Amino acid sequence: DTEVTQTPKHLVMGMTNKKSLKCEQHMGHRAMYWYKQKAKKPPELMFVYSYEKLSINESVPSRFSPECPNSSLLNLHLHALQPEDSALYLCASSRTRPTGSWAEQYFGPGTRLTVT
Amino acid sequence: GENVEQHPSTLSVQEGDSAVIKCTYSDSASNYFPWYKQELGKRPQLIIDIRSNVGEKKDQRIAVTLNKTAKHFSLHITETQPEDSAVYFCAASTTGTASKLTFGTGTRLQVTL
């Protein structure tokens, strides 16, 4: 399996809802990432997990809460979001150093989130 | 932190011509430079990358060059085809257990017949 999968593909939620995004990979990668991408903009890094531990948090608001329950799964819990949080949320994974090709990140198809 | 600039923002070429996209980075500690292609509504797809110990890398019609001294790297696509039309992002990564990518602003490439 050489793919990163994400569910759901689309999500519409109100500002008072709680929802979760899910990401899964079975490539044995031990680093996983969440990115946010607005229309016509590059992906922006949100969180990095390395060996199931949060290693980077790019000052993301607490209404976004990541979780890495095991080496294959990455979740992003959403609560009390704002309309400006509407975006494509991308998950990625990579090997970790010192494994060869450690830096190559492979992206999932993303979840298109709309906050109403 | 790292800052990556990318030019041009849009590029239109005729089929068969070459296309060049240029990026500069600010952090001299960056040592990994991937290029991603993103078609409309699709995921970013890694097309080629280069590490700081290499000056040039080629894969069929695409090549990437790196000038560490000047802190810039470029993507070259030869014999462009309509299916090359997409948004291309360069990125730079600092070292660590995992890679932290900072992306450029993107180049929309249009290959016309």
Side-chain angles (χ1 to χ4, degrees), chain A:
Chain A
D1 190 343
T2 58
E3 268 206 351
V4 178
T5 59
Q6 289 187 243
T7 54
K9 288 185 179 179
H10 302 275
L11 178 62
V12 180
M13 60 185 290
M15 289 190 284
T16 58
N17 292 159
K18 286 186 181 180
K19 296 286 184 182
S20 297
L21 310 184
K22 181 179 173 181
C23 173
E24 194 165 4
Q25 57 87 15
H26 295 287
M27 295 181 279
H29 292 172
R30 300 302 296 276
M32 297 186 77
Y33 311 78
W34 279 115
Y35 289 86
K36 173 183 178 180
Q37 187 177 27
K38 303 280 272 185
K40 298 186 178 181
K41 296 290 186 181
E44 290 181 38
L45 184 65
M46 300 175 71
F47 302 104
V48 180
Y49 272 83
S50 179
Y51 295 98
E52 297 84 69
K53 287 186 171 48
L54 183 66
S55 62
I56 297 175
N57 176 341
E58 292 288 90
S59 302
V60 178
S62 59
R63 58 185 184 269
F64 296 91
S65 176
E67 178 197 20
C68 190
N70 60 54
S71 60
S72 300
L73 279 175
L74 185 67
N75 299 319
L76 186 63
H77 303 296
L78 314 173
H79 172 57
L81 294 192
Q82 304 297 310
E84 58 266 28
D85 296 323
S86 298
L88 180 68
Y89 287 84
L90 292 160
C91 173
S93 72
S94 75
R95 296 184 183 89
T96 50
R97 298 184 81 185
T99 310
S101 303
W102 61 271
E104 296 172 13
Q105 290 189 26
Y106 297 92
F107 283 84
T111 293
R112 189 159 298 282
L113 174 68
T114 303
V115 181
T116 59

